[in-house]
Protein backbone atom coordinates (compact mmCIF):
# COMPACT_ATOMS: atom_id res chain seq x y z
CA UNK A 1 0.00 0.00 0.00
CA UNK A 2 2.81 2.38 0.90
CA UNK A 3 4.63 1.54 -2.31
CA UNK A 4 1.52 2.27 -4.38
CA UNK A 5 1.16 5.70 -2.74
CA UNK A 6 4.80 6.54 -3.35
CA UNK A 7 4.51 5.37 -6.94
CA UNK A 8 1.41 7.53 -7.48
CA UNK A 9 3.18 10.57 -6.00
CA UNK A 10 6.22 9.96 -8.17
CA UNK A 11 4.04 9.79 -11.27
CA UNK A 12 2.04 12.91 -10.37
CA UNK A 13 5.03 15.06 -9.37
CA UNK A 14 5.92 16.04 -12.98
CA UNK A 15 2.35 17.30 -13.44
CA UNK A 16 2.89 19.86 -10.68
CA UNK A 17 5.75 21.40 -12.64
CA UNK A 18 3.55 21.71 -15.73
CA UNK A 19 0.63 23.14 -13.73
CA UNK A 20 2.62 26.08 -12.39
CA UNK A 21 1.64 29.40 -13.90
CA UNK A 22 4.09 31.15 -16.15
CA UNK A 23 5.20 34.32 -14.46
CA UNK A 24 7.26 37.20 -15.67
CA UNK A 25 10.50 37.17 -13.66
CA UNK A 26 11.04 40.91 -13.76
CA UNK A 27 8.16 43.37 -13.45
CA UNK A 28 7.76 46.20 -15.92
CA UNK A 29 9.29 49.51 -14.87
CA UNK A 30 7.17 52.58 -15.57
CA UNK A 31 8.52 56.12 -15.46
CA UNK A 32 5.38 57.54 -13.86
CA UNK A 33 1.71 56.84 -13.18
CA UNK A 34 0.60 58.44 -16.47
CA UNK A 35 2.83 56.09 -18.47
CA UNK A 36 1.48 53.12 -16.51
CA UNK A 37 -2.13 54.18 -17.17
CA UNK A 38 -1.39 54.68 -20.88
CA UNK A 39 0.31 51.27 -21.04
CA UNK A 40 -2.63 49.47 -19.40
CA UNK A 41 -5.13 51.21 -21.68
CA UNK A 42 -3.11 50.26 -24.77
CA UNK A 43 -2.54 46.67 -23.61
CA UNK A 44 -6.30 46.28 -23.11
CA UNK A 45 -6.90 47.32 -26.75
CA UNK A 46 -4.47 44.74 -28.13
CA UNK A 47 -5.15 41.01 -28.52
CA UNK A 48 -2.67 38.32 -27.55
CA UNK A 49 -1.49 36.70 -30.77
CA UNK A 50 -1.40 33.24 -29.21
CA UNK A 51 -4.63 33.35 -27.19
CA UNK A 52 -7.90 33.49 -29.08
CA UNK A 53 -9.88 35.95 -27.01
CA UNK A 54 -7.65 37.49 -24.38
CA UNK A 55 -6.22 40.94 -24.40
CA UNK A 56 -2.52 41.48 -24.13
CA UNK A 57 -3.10 42.68 -20.57
CA UNK A 58 -4.99 39.53 -19.52
CA UNK A 59 -2.87 36.84 -21.18
CA UNK A 60 -0.25 34.79 -19.35
CA UNK A 61 1.31 33.38 -22.52
CA UNK A 62 5.04 33.93 -22.88
CA UNK A 63 4.56 35.86 -26.12
CA UNK A 64 2.18 38.21 -24.29
CA UNK A 65 4.90 38.93 -21.72
CA UNK A 66 7.32 39.64 -24.56
CA UNK A 67 4.83 41.86 -26.40
CA UNK A 68 4.06 43.83 -23.23
CA UNK A 69 7.79 44.51 -22.87
CA UNK A 70 7.97 45.50 -26.55
CA UNK A 71 4.99 47.86 -26.20
CA UNK A 72 6.50 49.51 -23.12
CA UNK A 73 9.86 49.87 -24.88
CA UNK A 74 8.17 51.50 -27.89
CA UNK A 75 6.25 53.83 -25.57
CA UNK A 76 9.43 54.84 -23.77
CA UNK A 77 11.09 55.51 -27.13
CA UNK A 78 8.42 58.15 -27.79
CA UNK A 79 6.11 56.31 -30.18
CA UNK A 80 2.44 57.22 -30.16
CA UNK A 81 -0.31 54.67 -29.56
CA UNK A 82 -1.14 54.73 -33.28
CA UNK A 83 2.49 54.02 -34.20
CA UNK A 84 2.67 51.14 -31.73
CA UNK A 85 -0.55 49.65 -33.06
CA UNK A 86 0.69 49.99 -36.64
CA UNK A 87 3.98 48.29 -35.70
CA UNK A 88 2.06 45.35 -34.24
CA UNK A 89 -0.36 45.21 -37.21
CA UNK A 90 2.58 45.16 -39.63
CA UNK A 91 4.12 42.34 -37.65
CA UNK A 92 1.06 40.21 -36.76
CA UNK A 93 -1.83 41.46 -38.89
CA UNK A 94 -5.09 43.14 -37.90
CA UNK A 95 -5.94 40.20 -35.65
CA UNK A 96 -3.87 41.91 -32.95
CA UNK A 97 -6.41 44.75 -32.70
CA UNK A 98 -9.58 44.24 -30.67
CA UNK A 99 -11.29 47.00 -32.64
CA UNK A 100 -10.02 46.71 -36.22
CA UNK A 101 -10.39 49.64 -38.58
CA UNK A 102 -13.51 49.42 -40.73
CA UNK A 103 -12.67 49.20 -44.43
CA UNK A 104 -13.98 47.43 -47.52
CA UNK A 105 -12.18 44.19 -46.65
CA UNK A 106 -14.03 43.70 -43.38
CA UNK A 107 -17.28 45.57 -44.06
CA UNK A 108 -19.17 42.26 -44.25
CA UNK A 109 -18.13 41.52 -40.66
CA UNK A 110 -19.40 44.92 -39.52
CA UNK A 111 -22.68 44.99 -41.46
CA UNK A 112 -23.35 41.31 -42.23
CA UNK A 113 -25.41 40.59 -39.10
CA UNK A 114 -27.62 43.64 -39.72
CA UNK A 115 -28.19 42.59 -43.35
CA UNK A 116 -29.13 39.06 -42.24
CA UNK A 117 -31.61 40.35 -39.64
CA UNK A 118 -33.22 42.71 -42.16
CA UNK A 119 -33.41 39.95 -44.78
CA UNK A 120 -35.00 37.60 -42.24
CA UNK A 121 -37.56 40.24 -41.28
CA UNK A 122 -38.36 40.77 -44.97
CA UNK A 123 -38.87 37.04 -45.57
CA UNK A 124 -41.05 36.77 -42.45
CA UNK A 125 -43.21 39.72 -43.56
CA UNK A 126 -43.56 38.20 -47.05
CA UNK A 127 -44.62 34.79 -45.66
CA UNK A 128 -47.15 36.32 -43.25
CA UNK A 129 -48.65 38.53 -45.96
CA UNK A 130 -48.88 35.58 -48.39
CA UNK A 131 -50.59 33.34 -45.85
CA UNK A 132 -53.05 36.03 -44.81
CA UNK A 133 -54.25 36.27 -48.42
CA UNK A 134 -54.82 32.51 -48.57
CA UNK A 135 -57.09 32.40 -45.52
CA UNK A 136 -60.75 32.64 -46.53
CA UNK A 137 -63.10 34.44 -44.18
CA UNK A 138 -65.76 32.20 -42.67
CA UNK A 139 -69.25 32.54 -44.00
CA UNK A 140 -72.39 32.83 -41.87
CA UNK A 141 -73.41 29.27 -42.65
CA UNK A 142 -70.13 27.76 -41.37
CA UNK A 143 -69.94 26.48 -37.81
CA UNK A 144 -67.87 28.56 -35.42
CA UNK A 145 -66.11 27.23 -32.39
Amino acid sequence: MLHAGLLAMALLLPLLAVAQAVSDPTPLQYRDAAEEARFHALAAELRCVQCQNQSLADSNAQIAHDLRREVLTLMQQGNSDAQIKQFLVDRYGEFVLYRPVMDTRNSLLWFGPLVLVLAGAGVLAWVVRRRSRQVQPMGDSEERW
Side-chain angles (χ1 to χ4, degrees), residues 1-16:
M1 185 75 168
L2 180 62
H3 295 296
L6 289 174
L7 180 63
M9 284 179 47
L11 291 174
L12 293 176
L13 192 60
L15 292 177
L16 291 175

Side-chain angles (χ1 to χ4, degrees), residues 9-119:
M9 284 179 47
L11 291 174
L12 293 176
L13 192 60
L15 292 177
L16 291 175
V18 174
Q20 291 179 353
V22 176
S23 63
D24 203 1
T26 56
L28 299 174
Q29 300 294 320
Y30 305 103
R31 293 180 185 154
D32 55 19
E35 183 180 69
E36 183 177 2
R38 179 180 166 216
F39 172 79
H40 288 298
L42 185 58
E45 292 180 18
L46 299 170
R47 185 187 316 265
C48 174
V49 295
Q50 181 178 352
C51 308
Q52 290 298 315
N53 261 339
Q54 282 188 317
S55 71
L56 198 58
D58 296 334
S59 176
N60 279 331
Q62 186 60 44
I63 193 166
H65 291 291
D66 296 340
L67 284 176
R68 285 193 291 265
R69 289 197 179 289
E70 183 75 25
V71 167
L72 183 60
T73 301
L74 290 170
M75 282 176 57
Q76 291 175 343
Q77 290 175 354
N79 291 318
S80 68
D81 289 358
Q83 290 171 326
I84 294 170
K85 287 178 185 178
Q86 188 59 48
F87 171 78
L88 292 173
V89 166
D90 291 344
R91 200 172 197 186
Y92 299 105
E94 285 196 24
F95 173 78
V96 78
L97 300 176
Y98 257 122
R99 288 179 260 149
V101 179
M102 186 174 63
D103 61 2
T104 56
R105 292 179 297 154
N106 61 14
S107 60
L108 183 62
L109 293 174
W110 285 92
F111 299 112
L114 178 64
V115 169
L116 287 175
V117 167
L118 291 176

